[in-house]
Amino acid sequence: MENSLHSESYKSKRVKGNKNKGKRIWINILLFIISIGLWGTIVYYGYINAKAYIDDSINRIEQNNAMAVQQLKEEMKIINSEIKRLRSEIKDLKEEVRDADSTLTNSNDIQEGIDKKLKYLDDKLKDLQESLDILKEAPNVEN
């Protein structure tokens, strides 16, 4: 009889052990699924935040470039108007020199001074044009 009691207690322990083992497997599977879900949620929100940060940075850069392009355009307008004014002054000076019968050396000195000023303004205009071209291409690089 003792043998039968011993074998029954062994069987009940074995059944309980199998039930506990089955519960542990289901608990482990559930924990694994929850971990995967949590990890997926963290990755998703990390991606959304990173994308928003990058988009904001790109928008700020584009706005800065647009403002810089606008400033360069305004500077180019100012320089163009100054060049036009200087050209009209050159024309007036040439007429005055012709009318006054000035010597050739005086005319050359005046012309050289005006040419230097025009060259300076042309160089500045070229620099501004190059800067404007660079800034116009900057937003297109990301696209």
Side-chain angles (χ1 to χ4, degrees):
M1 183 148 182
E2 219 173 283
N3 254 348
S4 71
L5 280 179
H6 181 61
S7 92
E8 280 182 27
S9 76
Y10 177 71
K11 285 182 183 177
S12 67
K13 285 182 183 178
R14 191 172 172 203
V15 170
K16 285 181 185 178
N18 284 342
K19 285 182 182 179
N20 285 341
K21 189 176 185 181
K23 284 183 183 178
R24 275 191 237 132
I25 289 173
W26 282 109
I27 289 173
N28 285 341
I29 290 172
L30 183 62
L31 287 175
F32 179 74
I33 290 172
I34 290 171
S35 297
I36 293 294
L38 183 63
W39 180 82
T41 303
I42 291 170
V43 168
Y44 174 75
Y45 282 108
Y47 168 78
I48 295 297
N49 288 334
K51 186 177 183 318
Y53 176 77
I54 290 171
D55 289 344
D56 288 344
S57 296
I58 289 171
N59 287 336
R60 275 184 298 207
I61 290 170
E62 285 177 348
Q63 288 174 353
N64 288 341
N65 283 345
M67 290 185 338
V69 166
Q70 187 63 33
Q71 287 175 341
L72 287 174
K73 284 181 180 179
E74 290 173 8
E75 287 181 24
M76 283 180 54
K77 286 179 184 178
I78 292 169
I79 289 176
N80 282 333
S81 66
E82 195 171 333
I83 288 173
K84 287 178 184 176
R85 184 184 59 79
L86 285 173
R87 285 187 177 155
S88 69
E89 284 182 15
I90 289 172
K91 184 179 177 183
D92 292 344
L93 285 173
K94 282 182 179 180
E95 288 176 6
E96 287 177 14
V97 168
R98 231 178 285 131
D99 291 343
D101 290 326
S102 295
T103 61
L104 188 58
T105 57
N106 287 342
S107 175
N108 284 339
D109 291 341
I110 292 171
Q111 185 64 38
E112 285 176 10
I114 292 171
D115 287 342
K116 285 180 184 178
K117 183 71 173 177
L118 276 176
K119 183 176 179 345
Y120 168 75
L121 289 173
D122 282 338
D123 290 342
K124 186 155 177 114
L125 180 62
K126 286 178 187 176
D127 291 343
L128 287 172
Q129 185 64 42
E130 290 173 5
S131 296
L132 179 62
D133 291 341
I134 289 169
L135 285 172
K136 281 182 179 178
E137 292 176 10
N140 294 334
V141 170
E142 86 158 52
N143 291 333

